[in-house]
Amino acid sequence: MEPLAEYVKLPELEEYREWFKDFADLYREDGILQVTWHTKGHPMHHSMSHRAMSQLTRVLSLDWKNEIIIFTHIGDSWMTESDPNGWDTYSQLPTERFQHQYFDDTNLIKNMVFDLDVPTIGAIPGPGFHWDSAMLCDVTIASEDTWMEVPHAHGGLVPGDGMGLMAQHYFGTKRGNYYMMTTRQFTAQQMLDWGMVSEVVAKDKVMDRAWEIARMWKTMPYENRTIMANLAKRPLKKLFVEDLKLHTVSEQYGSLLRVAAGDLGDENSAQQDEKYISRTNDWRYTYNYMQQPPTSETWEAFRREPIKWFKKVEAGEETNPYADEIKTPYRPK
């Protein structure tokens, strides 16, 4: 007897790998999928990737050949770059900005835990921002030189894209509030001590360790490890049902108020726009100034010192250790 209708044919890895080739390198071995974020072979540039990340997560969930997923970033750091020209679409009012902040911000976070039913590992090779996809994994491995932050408030933004919510969840309310509201950076050891990451390993061992854990899970029955992953994600699911949309809409509302007031722009505006903020990124991970207790002086310096530094880099007087270069994705041994 034949069924009246067959299963719907969904895209295979070879097809959707091509769809997302500008944003992610997809490599699968024995049911373990490694997602390496990048922008055309360079370190990932934050802007159009913001939407691609949530779109890819949804597509990955439709392919049951992806039994375990590792999320990492190309090279030896996490995302430190932005595409200043990529924000032009997002800045258009009302529809594009609404879609960016109402849908993209929310989907980037929720798809990681509501769509992916399989075990996930975040593998962080070094410092960087927009760490959500790594920290939303069931297990997260960080290199010993990693440091990160919730950067929004420095630029006058409401920190509502989900990272502040995760800081409250992992760090505890008071400590999470402090790091969210002051943008002070936290180190790999602090993230381990406070519950944001699972292990801290040597700089060049992050991916080896991620694959070791994935292969260990592969020895479990498929059904059991998949059910186990659901238990791992349950606390975040409950948190996001309660609070995620409130956070993302709060950031959107604050930004729209500044747009309406004509007060969104460069370092002289109450809220900096994405084009200006994109010029400050590498500076944050070149120096450890933001790991210190913030003061009004350092808060003000954040708006101006990165621009001075970039001019020195352009003049050859300073070196940018996160210079934008083509990188090679990791492959397991």
Side-chain angles (χ1 to χ4, degrees):
M1 298 289 290
E2 293 292 328
L4 292 176
E6 299 291 340
Y7 288 123
V8 174
K9 185 182 183 304
L10 296 173
E12 297 283 347
L13 175 61
E14 291 70 24
E15 185 175 2
Y16 60 78
R17 176 191 280 138
E18 183 68 16
W19 298 352
F20 292 95
K21 65 181 181 180
D22 289 345
F23 300 100
D25 174 83
L26 304 180
Y27 171 82
R28 188 166 65 199
E29 177 185 304
D30 191 27
I32 302 169
L33 179 75
Q34 177 183 299
V35 178
T36 304
W37 299 120
H38 67 86
T39 298
K40 293 189 171 181
H42 298 256
M44 177 170 267
H45 286 59
H46 180 51
S47 65
M48 310 311 285
S49 62
H50 202 256
R51 177 168 298 171
M53 294 172 80
S54 63
Q55 291 172 325
L56 176 57
T57 305
R58 183 156 289 164
V59 171
L60 295 181
S61 72
L62 301 176
D63 186 351
W64 288 356
K65 294 178 184 176
N66 298 323
E67 299 181 31
I68 297 170
I69 305 177
I70 300 171
F71 289 91
T72 190
H73 188 281
I74 204 166
D76 58 1
S77 66
W78 197 255
M79 186 193 304
T80 63
E81 305 294 335
S82 289
D83 176 2
N85 299 318
W87 297 107
D88 289 342
T89 297
Y90 284 157
S91 66
Q92 295 175 25
L93 290 169
T95 303
E96 285 79 4
R97 180 170 280 275
F98 169 78
Q99 291 171 336
H100 162 46
Q101 292 192 290
Y102 193 81
F103 292 125
D104 292 347
D105 272 7
T106 306
N107 290 341
L108 192 156
I109 301 293
K110 77 174 180 62
N111 291 4
M112 284 289 301
V113 295
F114 285 97
D115 284 9
L116 297 180
D117 293 315
V118 299
T120 54
I121 301 171
I124 304 175
F129 70 98
H130 246 299
W131 35 260
D132 13 40
S133 65
M135 301 304 182
L136 289 165
C137 289
D138 305 329
V139 167
T140 303
I141 312 298
S143 69
E144 58 195 355
D145 68 334
T146 297
W147 74 73
M148 296 175 159
E149 76 285 321
V150 182
H152 303 73
H154 248 152
L157 289 81
V158 176
D161 70 344
M163 288 191 287
L165 179 59
M166 283 187 279
Q168 291 174 321
H169 172 73
Y170 291 124
F171 291 172
T173 303
K174 288 294 184 180
R175 184 183 287 138
N177 287 349
Y178 171 76
Y179 280 85
M180 174 181 72
M181 297 172 75
T182 67
T183 73
R184 185 175 176 178
Q185 290 175 328
F186 32 86
T187 66
Q189 187 60 49
Q190 288 172 321
M191 288 188 279
L192 178 64
D193 293 342
W194 300 340
M196 184 175 274
V197 302
S198 312
E199 289 185 5
V200 173
V201 301
K203 177 68 175 174
D204 59 347
K205 298 298 183 183
V206 173
M207 294 308 300
D208 291 342
R209 181 59 178 147
W211 274 89
E212 182 177 34
I213 293 173
R215 287 169 173 149
M216 180 182 71
W217 285 342
K218 273 288 292 185
T219 65
M220 294 179 64
Y222 164 77
E223 297 83 3
N224 289 9
R225 67 174 124 88
T226 304
I227 296 169
M228 176 180 72
N230 181 68
L231 295 180
K233 294 172 177 62
R234 183 171 169 77
L236 287 175
K237 288 181 178 179
K238 293 166 67 177
L239 174 70
F240 293 157
V241 167
E242 290 288 331
D243 287 333
L244 179 59
K245 183 60 75 175
L246 174 63
H247 274 242
T248 56
V249 170
S250 294
E251 181 175 326
Q252 180 180 24
Y253 182 63
S255 294
L256 291 178
L257 287 175
R258 301 276 55 79
V259 170
D263 205 8
L264 179 70
D266 61 18
E267 73 269 31
N268 299 308
S269 302
Q271 180 178 321
Q272 297 171 23
D273 62 22
E274 290 91 346
K275 281 193 173 185
Y276 183 82
I277 292 174
S278 71
R279 300 168 63 193
T280 71
N281 294 336
D282 290 355
W283 175 87
R284 302 208 302 265
Y285 312 106
T286 300
Y287 303 102
N288 67 354
Y289 301 146
M290 290 173 60
Q291 292 179 27
Q292 317 309 317
T295 66
S296 57
E297 289 78 14
T298 60
W299 187 275
E300 176 61 22
F302 175 81
R303 289 173 167 256
R304 306 182 189 281
E305 291 303 316
I307 307 307
K308 295 179 183 177
W309 176 72
F310 269 109
K311 289 179 179 178
K312 291 181 179 180
V313 170
E314 292 173 349
E317 300 171 8
E318 294 272 5
T319 300
N320 179 3
Y322 302 100
D324 184 10
E325 300 174 348
I326 294 286
K327 305 287 185 179
T328 301
Y330 171 92
R331 289 292 182 261
K333 300 178 180 64

